[in-house]
Amino acid sequence: MSFYLKGFWALASVGLGLSSAQAQSYPIEYRFNVPNSAQIEICKVLARFPGVNYDDADEKTLCGYDFYNDPRLAICAKVQSTNPAVEVFEIKNGVDKESFIANSCKKEEGKKVGKFKQSMSCSHTPSILGYYHISKLFNGSGDVPPAVYRTMEFDQHQLIRQQGLKNADGTIKQIWGQFPTSRNQARTSKWKETVYTPDMNQLYGALSVNPRNEEKYSEMNGGLAQFKGSAALKLVTNAKPVADYIQRDMGGLQKLVQIKDVGDMLVMDYIMSQQDRYGNIHYTEYYYFWESGRLTRRSVPKKAADEEELKKKEGATKVKVMLMKDNDCGVAKTNVAKAEKFLEQVRHLDVNTYYTALWLNQNKSSDEIKNYFSSTLLFSRADMTKLTAHITEAAKILSDSCKAGRLNLDSDPEAFLRDQEIRDSRSYCELPSGFAPGTK
């Protein structure tokens, strides 16, 4: 029996087998002048995950944002929710930049395109950077927004801090108040290594894309208790083969995509020790259709005429696809997926997700992988200890479930619609020789 495997199969000739496209030198560094300062702010498009090739266009766009010298770009303090951030806006034509900032960057006058966060409160820079790059390892699961490394000059950040204290209320105002107000104070603070550069002249963190047109995934987004009782989790924990309770046509696609999305989320959240997922699950809509014999997806067009054309595609069906956009509260935090034993309950998983978890476990001790997490993604020694343990545990849980016949590797949408999903997963529990993960 055949089935579709979206990860590519290749025996690596050297190390983990970097592709020719990865010969480009990383990091790609951008430098920015700062008003009234000799400091130079830095943005870096980080190296690709070892062995995986993926486009860096969105990251280059992020790193092209000049906070001060671009007349169509502005920054303001985040004043909603709980964790502080510097929000980046593209200003609408006809709106004056100084007036826009004075009005606290009203969304009616500009479009939020990014947010710059540091390791404060629940936020953790390695979590934001790590989720983006590890999602690429997992075939782009979760549609995690691109993220880059960024610095910001100390005094410029103080201006944003003051704006946050002025305009925010509640918890987020309290956390804005926790940022040190002087370089000497920063030097003796608990954040001296996790928020500030060694000379204390700049802060560093992750600048990530602010997604557009997303919605709260109400079917599973009402907090942990609601998720545990949700129909979405019940689909993933149903012991029957998916063919027994999902119709094998485009009408059943939404449920199958939901099964895949939730399974992928639980695996990544276990590995990355996510604390704050349930209440932060979103989706965006795509059209799925058949093109050149393959199941294809495309985001919903902005123009009605373009959408009408898309509807003419073979089998065109609008589907909610999970967007994991809030990933800052991970790595060094409480592992909720582990505490709730969600992975032990999973009964359906995409075969690529399963093999990628096994591959990561097999390669986690290689110098290439360890150096990537520690040097590129800024994982501390304590972060690495947690990460390594969670990779090991996740792989064992999934492997044990597969070998015991509890885990069905049958949630690949295209394979299911072709009636080619894996029927007896026990024959596929071992990591195939030469498997290498990668994006679709």
Side-chain angles (χ1 to χ4, degrees):
M1 180 197 346
S2 64
F3 60 93
Y4 280 77
L5 203 57
K6 294 192 182 72
F8 53 86
W9 298 76
L11 286 171
S13 58
V14 179
L16 295 176
L18 298 181
S19 70
S20 59
Q22 290 173 286
Q24 178 172 354
S25 178
Y26 288 99
I28 304 170
E29 185 171 294
Y30 295 67
R31 301 167 68 85
F32 301 97
N33 294 320
V34 180
N36 306 312
S37 174
Q39 291 294 309
I40 301 293
E41 293 182 353
I42 301 295
C43 186
K44 294 180 182 180
V45 175
L46 300 177
R48 310 296 83 183
F49 200 102
V52 184
N53 181 34
Y54 43 102
D55 185 69
D56 58 12
D58 289 334
E59 295 159 78
K60 288 177 177 176
T61 297
L62 279 173
C63 268
Y65 291 147
D66 186 334
F67 290 172
Y68 318 110
N69 304 303
D70 185 339
R72 307 315 310 155
L73 204 73
I75 54 175
C76 277
K78 178 173 177 260
V79 295
Q80 304 295 328
S81 190
T82 54
N83 292 324
V86 179
E87 296 184 324
V88 185
F89 293 84
E90 289 182 349
I91 307 170
K92 291 183 178 179
N93 290 332
V95 177
D96 177 71
K97 180 172 181 173
E98 291 185 8
S99 299
F100 180 73
I101 295 173
N103 288 330
S104 302
C105 299
K106 289 183 178 179
K107 62 181 181 180
E108 296 83 7
E109 299 176 342
K111 178 176 70 174
K112 184 162 64 175
V113 293
K115 49 188 176 182
F116 175 50
K117 286 188 173 183
Q118 294 75 46
S119 295
M120 292 288 289
S121 183
C122 197
S123 291
H124 193 47
T125 296
S127 185
I128 303 171
L129 298 175
Y131 260 99
Y132 170 59
H133 289 280
I134 206 169
S135 75
K136 295 302 184 181
L137 182 74
F138 280 91
N139 288 314
S141 294
D143 278 5
V144 175
V148 296
Y149 171 89
R150 187 63 156 85
T151 70
M152 186 174 185
E153 194 269 338
F154 189 95
D155 293 327
Q156 291 295 328
H157 189 266
Q158 284 297 305
L159 297 177
I160 300 297
R161 174 185 177 274
Q162 291 165 13
Q163 189 184 63
L165 290 173
K166 176 183 177 182
N167 297 323
D169 293 303
T171 300
I172 193 168
K173 180 173 184 175
Q174 294 174 10
I175 300 171
W176 273 119
Q178 293 176 12
F179 279 97
T181 57
S182 71
R183 290 166 174 78
N184 285 335
Q185 194 179 78
R187 190 172 287 108
T188 59
S189 74
K190 63 180 180 180
W191 301 291
K192 64 180 181 180
E193 294 179 350
T194 56
V195 174
Y196 297 94
T197 57
D199 60 8
M200 303 296 143
N201 283 324
Q202 298 193 47
L203 296 83
Y204 72 89
L207 174 62
S208 58
V209 168
N210 184 68
R212 305 283 293 177
N213 303 315
E214 81 280 11
E215 299 287 344
K216 291 279 190 180
Y217 213 141
S218 58
E219 292 92 328
M220 59 181 101
N221 195 58
L224 179 58
Q226 191 254 19
F227 176 77
K228 290 167 68 174
S230 69
L233 184 61
K234 290 176 182 177
L235 287 173
V236 176
T237 58
N238 189 325
K240 296 179 180 179
V242 290
D244 287 1
Y245 60 99
I246 293 181
Q247 62 194 78
R248 197 186 294 277
D249 57 32
M250 297 300 275
L253 184 59
Q254 178 63 78
K255 287 185 177 179
L256 194 63
V257 169
Q258 196 171 78
I259 290 172
K260 173 174 167 48
D261 284 348
V262 172
D264 290 356
M265 177 190 76
L266 293 176
V267 171
M268 287 197 295
D269 280 353
Y270 191 109
I271 289 171
M272 293 292 286
S273 192
Q274 178 58 234
Q275 179 176 305
D276 193 30
R277 177 67 62 207
Y278 310 102
N280 283 311
I281 305 176
H282 300 77
Y283 74 87
T284 51
E285 290 185 319
Y286 287 83
Y287 275 99
Y288 279 73
F289 52 90
W290 293 100
E291 188 169 67
S292 301
R294 298 303 304 267
L295 186 65
T296 305
R297 80 174 194 183
R298 193 172 300 167
S299 57
V300 178
K302 294 180 180 179
K303 296 181 179 179
D306 292 338
E307 183 171 1
E308 289 303 314
E309 284 300 311
L310 202 53
K311 288 179 180 179
K312 298 176 183 178
K313 298 283 188 179
E314 181 185 351
T317 304
K318 189 183 288 187
V319 173
K320 295 178 181 179
V321 177
M322 185 180 291
L323 172 68
M324 294 167 59
K325 76 170 208 174
D326 289 315
N327 304 298
D328 53 335
C329 193
V331 180
K333 310 301 178 180
T334 301
N335 192 330
V336 177
K338 177 179 179 177
E340 296 293 334
K341 297 187 181 297
F342 283 140
L343 279 195
E344 288 87 340
Q345 301 172 48
V346 169
R347 295 294 175 263
H348 302 279
L349 205 62
D350 185 311
V351 63
N352 283 274
T353 302
Y354 174 76
Y355 285 152
T356 300
L358 298 191
W359 180 92
L360 186 57
N361 182 52
Q362 185 180 85
N363 290 280
K364 67 180 183 294
S365 298
S366 72
D367 288 341
E368 194 168 14
I369 296 295
K370 289 192 297 184
N371 289 339
Y372 183 77
F373 276 105
S374 60
S375 298
T376 300
L377 303 182
L378 308 181
F379 278 55
S380 68
R381 185 173 300 176
D383 292 341
M384 289 298 296
T385 298
K386 280 192 170 186
L387 176 73
T388 301
H390 293 146
I391 291 171
T392 302
E393 293 163 6
K396 185 177 189 310
I397 291 167
L398 296 175
S399 178
D400 287 351
S401 291
C402 185
K403 292 173 181 177
R406 296 189 299 268
L407 180 62
N408 299 289
L409 304 175
D410 60 356
S411 64
D412 178 274
E414 183 171 342
F416 179 76
L417 292 175
R418 289 181 178 276
D419 197 12
Q420 293 180 345
E421 79 275 15
I422 296 173
R423 260 72 172 191
D424 186 355
S425 298
R426 289 172 295 183
S427 300
Y428 297 91
C429 295
E430 299 298 331
L431 181 66
S433 175
F435 173 80
T439 54
K440 292 177 278 190

PDB file of all heavy atoms in Angstrom, residues 3 19 70 154 160 171 180 323 357 417:
ATOM      1  N   PHE A   3       1.393   5.500   0.413  1.00  0.00           N
ATOM      2  CA  PHE A   3       0.841   6.654   1.116  1.00  0.00           C
ATOM      3  C   PHE A   3       1.758   7.831   0.868  1.00  0.00           C
ATOM      4  O   PHE A   3       2.910   7.668   0.467  1.00  0.00           O
ATOM      5  CB  PHE A   3       0.667   6.384   2.615  1.00  0.00           C
ATOM      6  CG  PHE A   3       1.944   6.052   3.335  1.00  0.00           C
ATOM      7  CD1 PHE A   3       2.680   7.040   3.941  1.00  0.00           C
ATOM      8  CD2 PHE A   3       2.399   4.743   3.403  1.00  0.00           C
ATOM      9  CE1 PHE A   3       3.857   6.735   4.608  1.00  0.00           C
ATOM     10  CE2 PHE A   3       3.571   4.440   4.056  1.00  0.00           C
ATOM     11  CZ  PHE A   3       4.299   5.434   4.665  1.00  0.00           C
ATOM     12  N   SER A  19      21.073  21.644   2.195  1.00  0.00           N
ATOM     13  CA  SER A  19      20.777  21.788   0.777  1.00  0.00           C
ATOM     14  C   SER A  19      21.646  22.882   0.178  1.00  0.00           C
ATOM     15  O   SER A  19      22.214  23.715   0.876  1.00  0.00           O
ATOM     16  CB  SER A  19      19.302  22.140   0.577  1.00  0.00           C
ATOM     17  OG  SER A  19      19.057  23.448   1.030  1.00  0.00           O
ATOM     18  N   ASP A  70      12.404  55.696   8.766  1.00  0.00           N
ATOM     19  CA  ASP A  70      11.433  55.469   7.704  1.00  0.00           C
ATOM     20  C   ASP A  70      10.190  56.302   8.007  1.00  0.00           C
ATOM     21  O   ASP A  70       9.516  56.073   9.018  1.00  0.00           O
ATOM     22  CB  ASP A  70      11.072  53.986   7.637  1.00  0.00           C
ATOM     23  CG  ASP A  70      10.158  53.650   6.469  1.00  0.00           C
ATOM     24  OD1 ASP A  70       9.494  54.550   5.945  1.00  0.00           O
ATOM     25  OD2 ASP A  70      10.086  52.457   6.110  1.00  0.00           O
ATOM     26  N   PHE A 154      18.938  51.538  24.272  1.00  0.00           N
ATOM     27  CA  PHE A 154      18.362  51.633  25.617  1.00  0.00           C
ATOM     28  C   PHE A 154      17.448  52.847  25.782  1.00  0.00           C
ATOM     29  O   PHE A 154      16.310  52.723  26.244  1.00  0.00           O
ATOM     30  CB  PHE A 154      19.486  51.678  26.657  1.00  0.00           C
ATOM     31  CG  PHE A 154      19.020  51.569  28.076  1.00  0.00           C
ATOM     32  CD1 PHE A 154      19.004  50.358  28.733  1.00  0.00           C
ATOM     33  CD2 PHE A 154      18.572  52.700  28.774  1.00  0.00           C
ATOM     34  CE1 PHE A 154      18.564  50.256  30.048  1.00  0.00           C
ATOM     35  CE2 PHE A 154      18.120  52.613  30.075  1.00  0.00           C
ATOM     36  CZ  PHE A 154      18.117  51.375  30.713  1.00  0.00           C
ATOM     37  N   ILE A 160       9.550  54.253  24.764  1.00  0.00           N
ATOM     38  CA  ILE A 160       8.423  53.339  24.598  1.00  0.00           C
ATOM     39  C   ILE A 160       7.907  52.882  25.959  1.00  0.00           C
ATOM     40  O   ILE A 160       6.685  52.786  26.172  1.00  0.00           O
ATOM     41  CB  ILE A 160       8.845  52.120  23.747  1.00  0.00           C
ATOM     42  CG1 ILE A 160       9.322  52.576  22.364  1.00  0.00           C
ATOM     43  CG2 ILE A 160       7.704  51.122  23.627  1.00  0.00           C
ATOM     44  CD1 ILE A 160       8.263  53.254  21.526  1.00  0.00           C
ATOM     45  N   THR A 171      -2.047  44.512  34.547  1.00  0.00           N
ATOM     46  CA  THR A 171      -0.827  43.706  34.574  1.00  0.00           C
ATOM     47  C   THR A 171       0.233  44.222  33.616  1.00  0.00           C
ATOM     48  O   THR A 171       1.413  44.319  33.968  1.00  0.00           O
ATOM     49  CB  THR A 171      -1.149  42.246  34.232  1.00  0.00           C
ATOM     50  OG1 THR A 171      -2.077  41.734  35.191  1.00  0.00           O
ATOM     51  CG2 THR A 171       0.112  41.394  34.254  1.00  0.00           C
ATOM     52  N   PRO A 180      14.287  48.077  33.865  1.00  0.00           N
ATOM     53  CA  PRO A 180      15.208  49.013  34.518  1.00  0.00           C
ATOM     54  C   PRO A 180      15.205  50.370  33.828  1.00  0.00           C
ATOM     55  O   PRO A 180      15.042  50.462  32.601  1.00  0.00           O
ATOM     56  CB  PRO A 180      16.565  48.318  34.368  1.00  0.00           C
ATOM     57  CG  PRO A 180      16.239  46.864  34.280  1.00  0.00           C
ATOM     58  CD  PRO A 180      14.950  46.803  33.521  1.00  0.00           C
ATOM     59  N   LEU A 323      -3.538  28.658  13.355  1.00  0.00           N
ATOM     60  CA  LEU A 323      -2.450  29.627  13.373  1.00  0.00           C
ATOM     61  C   LEU A 323      -1.934  29.728  14.804  1.00  0.00           C
ATOM     62  O   LEU A 323      -2.647  30.210  15.689  1.00  0.00           O
ATOM     63  CB  LEU A 323      -2.945  30.995  12.884  1.00  0.00           C
ATOM     64  CG  LEU A 323      -1.966  32.164  13.035  1.00  0.00           C
ATOM     65  CD1 LEU A 323      -0.781  31.991  12.107  1.00  0.00           C
ATOM     66  CD2 LEU A 323      -2.663  33.490  12.754  1.00  0.00           C
ATOM     67  N   ALA A 357       9.385  13.921  14.909  1.00  0.00           N
ATOM     68  CA  ALA A 357       9.651  13.840  16.348  1.00  0.00           C
ATOM     69  C   ALA A 357      10.717  12.785  16.638  1.00  0.00           C
ATOM     70  O   ALA A 357      11.616  12.996  17.468  1.00  0.00           O
ATOM     71  CB  ALA A 357       8.364  13.522  17.099  1.00  0.00           C
ATOM     72  N   LEU A 417      -7.793  11.471   1.532  1.00  0.00           N
ATOM     73  CA  LEU A 417      -8.722  11.723   0.437  1.00  0.00           C
ATOM     74  C   LEU A 417      -8.457  10.798  -0.754  1.00  0.00           C
ATOM     75  O   LEU A 417      -9.362  10.484  -1.526  1.00  0.00           O
ATOM     76  CB  LEU A 417      -8.653  13.178  -0.002  1.00  0.00           C
ATOM     77  CG  LEU A 417      -9.184  14.201   1.016  1.00  0.00           C
ATOM     78  CD1 LEU A 417      -8.953  15.620   0.513  1.00  0.00           C
ATOM     79  CD2 LEU A 417     -10.656  13.985   1.313  1.00  0.00           C
TER      80      LEU A 417
END
